[in-house]
Amino acid sequence: MTTETAASPTTGAAAARESWVPMIAIALGQMIMSFNVAALPVSMGGMVESFNVPPTTVGTGIVLYSLSVAGFVMLGAKLCQRFGPVLIFRYVVGLFAVAQVMMTLSPVATVMLLAQLLAGLAAAVIVPALVALIAHHYHGQQQATALGALGSARAAAGVGAFLIGGLLGTFVGWRPLFGILIVASGLVFFLSFKLKPADGRPEVKIDAGGVVLAAVSIILITLGFNNLNRWGLGVAGPGAPFDLFGLSPAPIMIIVGIALLQSFIFWSRRRQSAGRTPLLDLRVISSNQERAAVLCMFAVVMLEAMLNFSVPLYIQIIQGRTPIETAIAMMPFNLTVFFTAMLVVRLYGTLAPRRIGQLGFALCTLALLWLAFVVRNDWSAVPVMLGLIAFGIGQGALVTLVFNVLVTAAPKELAGDVGSLRGTANNLAAGVGTAVAGALLVGLLSAQVVLQLADNQNFPPHIQNQLNLDNITFVTNDRLQTILEGTTATPQEVAEAVRINTEARLMALKMGLLLMAGVALLAIAPAARLPAYKPGEIPDNPAPPMSEELRETARAVASKESES
């Protein structure tokens, strides 16, 4: 962070106002990506029926999308710098449209997964391009408004996906939902010609070694988390493709991925010291405040992904309700995130980011604890809606806050690197959050079912032996009854199994919400290291490197000036 960060808004305010038409293209670019991700959970029931696959397969689609974005977004940032963000943005929006055509017409789950992989690769370039385009088009107050609008666009897409997806999924089907994205992508492509031309920088070189290290590390981490439940937490389970001396490959992949991520940082630092272009300019995470903002962003997105996967899973798959009922159940959360993301910027003049971050995570913690206490089988209950609203307020404030802190902390020339860092953190967190939610809920459900069956005299061992207790997953009560028809269970034993299944699923959800509350509570620690002054504007020119003492002095001066 530099002293120019606090001083630059004055200069930007004097600049001539730019047209908001380019911002329409930029915001829609964000919305088509967010709409795609949000549409997957609300379409879960339809996809499970269409493809005859378990709901975790839909979760794999979310993970594949997030994995490809997180793994290659740094490469996307360098492509934007080398060839110019406008040209690259236009091309990859077309690629995103192709992915949505595949998604809409997919005959089998494999094509659906490939479509999400392709959409993720396109989004890996769109994400850093959006930040670079805002820095290129807007300054001063317009720039602050544009950054807030970008955060709100993400939330608005979530609201739209759940509402439109619920209606279409209930009365038409899930495929038209992704057909909308084909039309929207075409509109973004057309509006991209309204963007001001931006020259590329041919001197920017692509760090091939960095690309490999970053992509492999993030892929290993995401795949490891995604397969913890199927492959085993420690000892290799029957679903593991291989084992290492009897150990599950999932935790080993996570450990190796983290080690490679550290190697990538070391590689980038050496490359930057040698005067060569690194894949990620480490100046964007050079201070404790910036690193804290990245950790906070990871926690925010991870919590949102866990909730967005858990609730539709419970409502559609477990309770067997329609997509529109899922949309209605999630609407209090999504609407609150949308409005809070827009309005929280008004607090920047009175509350420091550090305080907003602490209050936001504290509110998320209390909301999740409340939900774990009051949740029942009826998601329309007023106490549940109040909990979702409180959680949405915390999430909306945090997602805009940490984005603004990161963006305004770096020079304009590093806007693409900030965008890639944001994309890596967001999508890695979304992939890990979805994977952890799936593994956590299934694992808790299995433990609850096995425990209750073992202690239940009304469900004799000879019936238990006819069930595959090693592969317990979330099923509706009707599906469970169908399975039990293939056994020698009596009607009384079937009724007892249904009761156990119902109670175990609800208990698994409650325990999952409690663990999510623990994540939010732990995130208060990095939030306490966020800056003590309000975010300013993206600086036009980078400042020379500063020692940590000089950085702290500059921050203290900026804080006093903002208070006065």
Side-chain angles (χ1 to χ4, degrees), residues 40-381:
L40 287 170
V42 80
S43 304
M44 187 182 298
M47 289 185 183
V48 167
E49 184 178 352
S50 296
F51 300 136
N52 193 26
V53 294
T56 49
T57 300
V58 183
T60 301
I62 301 173
V63 171
L64 276 177
Y65 174 89
S66 301
L67 183 149
S68 54
V69 178
F72 296 98
V73 69
M74 296 182 192
L75 174 60
K78 292 306 170 190
L79 292 175
C80 289
Q81 291 177 2
R82 182 176 177 86
F83 300 104
V86 175
L87 187 64
I88 288 293
F89 176 74
R90 185 175 300 144
Y91 285 150
V92 295
V93 165
L95 182 63
F96 189 87
V98 172
Q100 297 310 313
V101 172
M102 292 175 57
M103 191 73 191
T104 304
L105 303 178
S106 54
V108 293
T110 303
V111 177
M112 180 271 290
L113 295 176
L114 288 175
Q116 286 303 311
L117 180 64
L118 185 61
L121 292 174
V125 185
I126 296 175
V127 168
L130 297 177
V131 181
L133 289 172
I134 287 179
H136 178 61
H137 283 82
Y138 301 106
H139 303 276
Q141 183 58 42
Q142 275 194 295
Q143 188 178 92
T145 303
L147 291 173
L150 194 63
S152 298
R154 178 175 175 271
V159 174
F162 272 92
L163 183 58
I164 299 173
L167 290 170
L168 290 177
T170 301
F171 301 109
V172 181
W174 62 270
R175 295 181 187 275
L177 182 60
F178 294 93
I180 292 174
L181 285 176
I182 302 175
V183 178
S185 299
L187 178 60
V188 177
F189 182 83
F190 171 77
L191 289 174
S192 69
F193 290 93
K194 302 295 183 179
L195 299 171
K196 293 192 300 184
D199 295 331
R201 294 161 53 195
E203 71 277 7
V204 173
K205 305 300 181 183
I206 305 299
D207 178 13
V211 171
V212 173
L213 283 173
V216 173
S217 64
I218 291 170
I219 289 172
L220 285 176
I221 292 171
T222 308
L223 286 179
F225 275 107
N226 191 43
N227 292 285
L228 279 173
N229 185 66
R230 286 181 291 180
W231 296 351
L233 292 171
V235 178
F242 60 92
D243 65 86
L244 297 173
F245 305 104
L247 298 177
S248 168
I252 296 175
M253 291 172 72
I254 295 172
I255 294 172
V256 173
I258 293 174
L260 287 177
L261 196 58
Q262 292 296 320
S263 300
F264 166 73
I265 295 175
F266 176 74
W267 170 277
S268 300
R269 186 177 292 115
R270 287 194 58 183
R271 188 174 178 88
Q272 195 162 338
S273 300
R276 292 181 290 176
T277 304
L279 186 65
L280 176 68
D281 196 310
L282 297 181
R283 285 179 290 172
V284 300
I285 50 172
S286 59
S287 72
N288 289 331
Q289 284 86 349
E290 290 157 332
R291 289 189 289 271
V294 174
L295 289 174
C296 289
M297 179 177 291
F298 192 93
V300 169
V301 178
M302 182 177 177
L303 288 170
E304 183 179 1
M306 293 177 76
L307 187 78
N308 278 335
F309 180 78
S310 302
V311 174
L313 169 71
Y314 195 84
I315 296 176
Q316 287 192 61
I317 304 304
I318 296 174
Q319 295 183 322
R321 297 190 180 185
T322 62
I324 187 61
E325 290 175 304
T326 305
I328 293 173
M330 289 296 293
M331 197 56 61
F333 169 72
N334 286 312
L335 283 175
T336 307
V337 171
F338 170 63
F339 287 112
T340 306
M342 288 194 304
L343 298 176
V344 71
V345 293
R346 299 179 181 272
L347 296 177
Y348 291 170
T350 55
L351 290 177
R354 181 177 302 170
R355 186 64 60 202
I356 297 175
Q358 291 173 315
L359 292 174
F361 280 117
L363 182 59
C364 287
T365 303
L366 293 175
L368 290 168
L369 289 173
W370 172 258
L371 283 172
F373 177 74
V374 302
V375 68
R376 297 292 184 271
N377 284 325
D378 185 8
W379 275 90
S380 62

